[in-house]
Amino acid sequence: MSDEEGLDVLVVGGGVTGAGIVLDAVTRGLRTGIVEMQDWAAGTSSWSSKLVHGGLRYLLNLDFSLVAEGLRERGLLLTKTAPHLVKAQPFLWPLKMPVIERAYSAVGVGMYDVMGVVGMKGAAVPLQRHYTRRGALRLFPDIREDALVGGIRFYDARVDDARLVMTLVRTAQSYGALAASRTELVDLTKDTTGRVVGAEVVDLETRQRHRIKARHVINATGVWTEQTEALGGTEGGLRVLASKGIHIVVPKDRIKGSTGIFLRTEKSVLFIIPWPEYWIIGTTDTPWEQDRLNPVATAEDVDYLLDHANAVLRSNLAREDIIGVYAGLRPLLQPGTKDGSAASTKVSRDHTVVDPVPGLTVISGGKLTSYRLMAEHAVDHALGKDRARQTPSVTPDTPLVGAPGLAAATRQAPRIAKKYGWDMARMRHLLDRYGSDLPALLALVDGDPALGRPLAAAPTYLGAEVAMAVSHEGALHLEDILLRRIRLFFEAKDRGLAALPEIAAIAGPLLGWDEATTRRETEAYTSRAEAEAAALAETTDAAAAAARRRAEDLVPLEPLAT
C-alpha cells in the first residue's frame, strides 16, 4: 500500500462495513487497500446477535425503508452472495392476546413477508404461518403454556458474523485488494489545500511506520468514528454513541424447540436463536462509557437475559447452564444534540455518509445486514455522482469466496466424507463454513493427515480448521483463532482453554513461533479468558471493566497518536 503508485481508496476499519467497502471499491476497478487496528471483525462485527434480518421491530417504528432495504440485502445473501454462510432461520412469535394481538401481529409479519418478496421478486424464505397454543407447543415444547395463546412462525436468517467479515476481506483480496490487520491509523496526511491525500499507519506487529498515498480515504471505524475523523483536523463529522449488547450461550439440549423465539421486551427485543451446538440468547441495549476496546458483560446483564428468557421458557435456565457470554458495542448515530444524553434505544440505526474534509469520507450507523448497501453508498459518495454513475457497484452480483459452485460442492459431500472418514454432520459443518472453498482445507489434510482429525478438547472442529485460520484467514494470534475463527471463546465453558495447547501446536509452526512466543501467546489468551470471568462477577460496567483490567493486568489501549 505504501508504494509510490498509491491507492485510489484506502479504507480504515476492518469490521463488516469496512470489509464491504473494500470489496465494493476493488470490484469497481479501483486500487484499494484496507487497514484494521485489531483483527478482522474484532470490534462490533464479531459480537452481534448473528442475525441477517430486515428488523421486524423497526416496522413498529414505521421505519419502512430501513426494513425494506434489510430484507433485500437478506435475500441477496441467502440466494446469491453468501448462501454457504447465511442460513434461513424460523422464529416463533408467541401471542398473548387471542384476537387483537394476532391481528396486528399478522399484519406486521405479513408486511414483512410482502416486502421481502417484492424486494427479491420472489420468496427467499417461507412465509408466515399461524399456530394455536397446541400447535405452537408442538413447535416449541419448552415454551410456558401461560406465556402464549398461540403464535406466528416467520423466517429471518443467521450467520457467523466474524466469518462473514473475514470472507469479505478474502473475496476483496481475490480481486486485488490489499489488506493489513493489526495496523493502526495514527494520522491523516493533507496537501497544501487541506485535502486528505493519505494516511500514516503503524504496523502493530513490527512497530514500523508507513505512509500510504490515497486519493480517497474512507473511515468505517464504528464506535471509534469520532477519534479517527478527528485526525482530519476538523471538528465536523459524525457523532456516535456506544451502546452495549450482551448475549449468553446455553447448550442445545437445555432448551427443547425446533425454531427460535422472538419477543418484545420493555427495552428492546429478545431473541432465542438455535445453532447446531447451542442456543444464543440476547440482547441488551445499554450505554457504555468505559474502554471501547474491551466491553464486558456484568452479572446484572446476565440476570436480565435469564429473567426474560425464563419468563417464557419452562427450561428454568440458571447461571450454571451458561457455557458462554459475550459483549459488544453498537455504533449508533447521535441525533442533532451533541451532549450524548439521548437514550441509545431511541437512536436510528440507519446509516449516514459525510465528508468532514475533502478527501475523507466517513460512514457510520446501520446494521450488519445492510453492510453491502452501506458500502455502495460510501464508495458512491467518495467518488462523486458522475464517476459513481460511470462505475456503479457490482456487489449485488459478486458472490463471496465459497459461494460459486456451492450446489456442485454440496453434491460431492458423500464422496468426500467416505474418503476422509467423516460423517455427514461433519460435512454440513464444513460446507457451512467453507462452501465451495472446501478443497483448500482438504489440501491441508492431504499434506498432513493428522489435520483431518477432530481436536481432542473441541471435537466440533478439525485440526485443519486451525491451520486454515492461519494459512488462508489471516489469524496472527491465538485470540484471533479462538475468538473469531474457531469460536471456543463463547462456545466452550472454559473459553477454549483445554484446547489451547493443541491449537497452539498447530498454529505456532505456521506462524514461525519459537517456544517463548508460544508460551506468551498461551499466557495472553489464558489471561483474557480469566479477565472476562472476573468481570462477570461484578454488577456495574465500571466495576466490571476495572475487574477485567486487574485480572488481565491490562492498561486501556489508546491510539498511538495520543
Side-chain angles (χ1 to χ4, degrees), residues 18 61 125-126 186 237 262 284 346 383 453 465 470 484:
N61 299 328
V125 297
V186 295
F262 167 83
T284 60
K346 296 185 184 297
L383 296 181
R453 293 195 291 268
E465 294 180 76
V470 175
R484 287 171 288 275

Side-chain angles (χ1 to χ4, degrees), residues 440-499:
L441 182 139
L442 299 179
L444 296 174
V445 177
D446 291 339
D448 181 0
L451 294 176
R453 293 195 291 268
L455 298 176
T460 298
Y461 298 100
L462 300 174
E465 294 180 76
V466 177
M468 187 87 167
V470 175
S471 63
H472 289 68
E473 298 172 355
L476 299 176
H477 298 278
L478 285 180
E479 74 165 37
D480 299 348
I481 299 171
L482 281 98
L483 270 69
R484 287 171 288 275
R485 309 303 191 286
I486 292 175
R487 312 199 70 176
L488 297 178
F489 183 77
F490 66 79
E491 293 179 348
K493 198 153 193 171
D494 69 346
R495 297 189 184 271
L497 293 178

Side-chain angles (χ1 to χ4, degrees), residues 126-416:
L127 303 181
Q128 67 170 297
R129 182 174 177 181
H130 288 242
Y131 290 87
T132 63
R133 175 187 282 153
R134 181 177 298 178
L137 289 171
R138 282 198 298 267
L139 200 63
F140 207 106
D142 260 8
I143 200 163
R144 294 167 57 100
E145 288 193 42
D146 61 357
L148 80 170
V149 296
I152 301 175
R153 187 198 66 188
F154 69 95
Y155 275 77
D156 262 318
R158 57 177 169 81
V159 67
D160 181 337
D161 46 10
R163 179 154 292 275
L164 174 63
V165 174
M166 178 268 299
T167 305
L168 283 164
V169 175
R170 289 188 63 206
T171 306
Q173 287 179 300
S174 75
Y175 289 103
L178 307 170
S181 63
R182 307 285 178 178
T183 302
E184 183 178 0
L185 173 72
V186 295
D187 199 11
L188 292 170
T189 55
K190 295 183 177 182
D191 63 14
T192 56
T193 69
R195 179 183 179 86
V196 171
V197 292
E200 296 270 357
V201 302
V202 172
D203 179 342
L204 298 180
E205 298 293 298
T206 66
R207 311 305 292 185
Q208 291 183 335
R209 194 177 184 107
H210 302 272
R211 172 167 287 194
I212 301 172
K213 298 177 181 178
R215 295 169 185 82
H216 304 279
V217 176
I218 301 180
N219 171 5
T221 52
V223 295
W224 292 279
T225 294
E226 292 181 52
Q227 291 90 328
T228 49
E229 69 187 2
L231 296 175
T234 176
E235 295 181 0
L238 301 177
R239 300 292 303 273
V240 176
L241 185 69
S243 172
K244 185 181 73 170
I246 82 123
H247 296 77
I248 60 176
V249 183
V250 300
K252 192 62 180 291
D253 62 4
R254 195 60 185 82
I255 301 174
K256 295 179 177 62
S258 59
T259 71
I261 294 286
F262 167 83
L263 299 168
R264 294 182 62 194
T265 70
E266 72 280 3
K267 295 182 180 179
S268 182
V269 295
L270 183 79
F271 288 100
I272 302 174
I273 310 161
W275 283 75
E277 304 278 338
Y278 48 78
W279 296 82
I280 293 178
I281 302 173
T283 181
T284 60
D285 195 350
T286 56
W288 176 259
E289 298 177 353
Q290 309 301 316
D291 171 27
R292 292 191 177 186
L293 277 178
N294 297 291
V296 287
T298 67
E300 187 174 288
D301 294 329
V302 170
D303 288 343
Y304 172 88
L305 291 181
L306 286 174
D307 289 346
H308 281 75
N310 285 331
V312 296
L313 296 178
R314 294 192 292 183
S315 310
N316 195 27
L317 299 174
R319 286 195 186 186
E320 293 73 25
D321 296 310
I322 296 173
I323 59 174
V325 179
Y326 63 88
L329 300 181
R330 303 181 186 91
L332 302 183
L333 288 175
Q334 291 192 28
T337 60
K338 294 185 178 181
D339 59 5
S341 62
S344 63
T345 50
K346 296 185 184 297
V347 178
S348 171
R349 294 193 66 180
D350 205 355
H351 59 277
T352 298
V353 189
V354 297
D355 290 334
V357 293
L360 175 64
T361 297
V362 180
I363 183 169
S364 193
K367 56 192 180 77
L368 182 146
T369 305
S370 300
Y371 80 85
R372 192 210 60 79
L373 187 63
M374 293 173 64
E376 179 180 332
H377 290 169
V379 178
D380 281 352
H381 195 88
L383 296 181
K385 290 183 179 179
D386 291 341
R387 193 173 180 194
R389 193 178 300 114
Q390 295 168 4
T391 55
S393 175
V394 297
T395 53
D397 300 306
T398 304
L400 305 189
V401 169
L406 179 61
T410 303
R411 294 286 181 88
Q412 308 304 311
R415 178 185 59 80
I416 294 171

